[in-house]
Amino acid sequence: MSGGVIVGADGLARCPWGLEAESMADYRRYHDTEWGRPVHGDDALYERMCLEAFQSGLSWLTILRRREGFRAAFAGFSIAEVAAFTEEDAERLLADPGIIRNRAKIAAAIGNARVAAELAPGELDALIWSYAPSGARRAPRTAADVPATTPESVALAKDLKKRGFRFVGPTTAYATMQACGLVNDHLASCHARG
């Protein structure tokens, strides 16, 4: 496979990961309607950062299929509510089969909420979006053209870490940038490129 777009049974060209299997309708729906679309709001961006951190070492499909479980477990990713979580809440999360039960990732999600809660309203949104690349980028033609990190994601990760955020390395930062529309890495011929 060249890594270029794949045409699905519905006749639409998609990035290869958006059509890995026809049986993955939820994956395809995420590709078609969410990934690469602009996301704003502190809580919404905090959610994406958390989910990308939980994804580290796992497939995105695993996270996507548990997203509602994560939302229920993490109070809808309300920064204020998660920042108030106690050690008992952390233990509750470790026992919750609806999420990925990783102690370090759970601690990071709670700690990151506490860091985000110290920011002024809208500051997390402004911070993350300040790292959106300026100017037009050439659309990737194949999956091989899509980077794992960029200078902007390295700088964003460094800034977030300096502020006290955890599980926000350059690759996770770039995945967040992709998911939240700071960059558009849909392949050039993908119908969802827009």
Side-chain angles (χ1 to χ4, degrees), residues 8 43 45 47 51 56 78 107 123 133 171 177 181:
D43 290 344
L45 288 164
E47 174 183 358
L51 294 177
S56 182
S78 162
E123 190 174 351
T171 302
M177 293 170 76

Side-chain angles (χ1 to χ4, degrees), residues 14-107:
R14 290 182 176 84
C15 303
W17 67 268
L19 195 63
E20 287 186 2
E22 283 295 324
S23 64
M24 296 184 183
D26 45 357
Y27 213 35
R28 194 168 46 255
R29 188 171 31 260
Y30 174 75
H31 168 273
D32 290 357
T33 65
E34 289 186 57
W35 192 75
R37 304 281 193 287
V39 173
H40 284 281
D42 294 341
D43 290 344
L45 288 164
Y46 165 69
E47 174 183 358
R48 299 325 189 281
M49 285 176 47
C50 286
L51 294 177
E52 293 296 345
F54 273 101
Q55 184 272 330
S56 182
L58 303 169
S59 78
W60 177 248
L61 187 58
T62 299
I63 302 304
L64 186 59
R65 289 186 171 161
R66 293 181 184 203
R67 184 164 55 172
E68 292 309 316
F70 275 106
R71 286 175 173 163
F74 283 93
F77 289 100
S78 162
I79 291 169
E81 290 186 50
V82 178
F85 277 15
T86 64
E87 186 57 39
E88 290 77 24
D89 289 306
E91 291 302 317
R92 171 186 56 81
L93 292 168
L94 282 167
D96 188 334
I99 67 169
I100 303 302
R101 296 173 286 181
N102 177 296
R103 186 176 299 277
K105 292 176 182 181
I106 289 169

Side-chain angles (χ1 to χ4, degrees), residues 119-145:
L119 301 174
E123 190 174 351
L124 181 61
D125 186 299
L127 168 68
I128 291 172
W129 276 91
S130 73
Y131 287 94
S134 60
R137 289 180 15 177
R138 184 173 171 215
R141 300 220 175 271
T142 70
D145 296 335

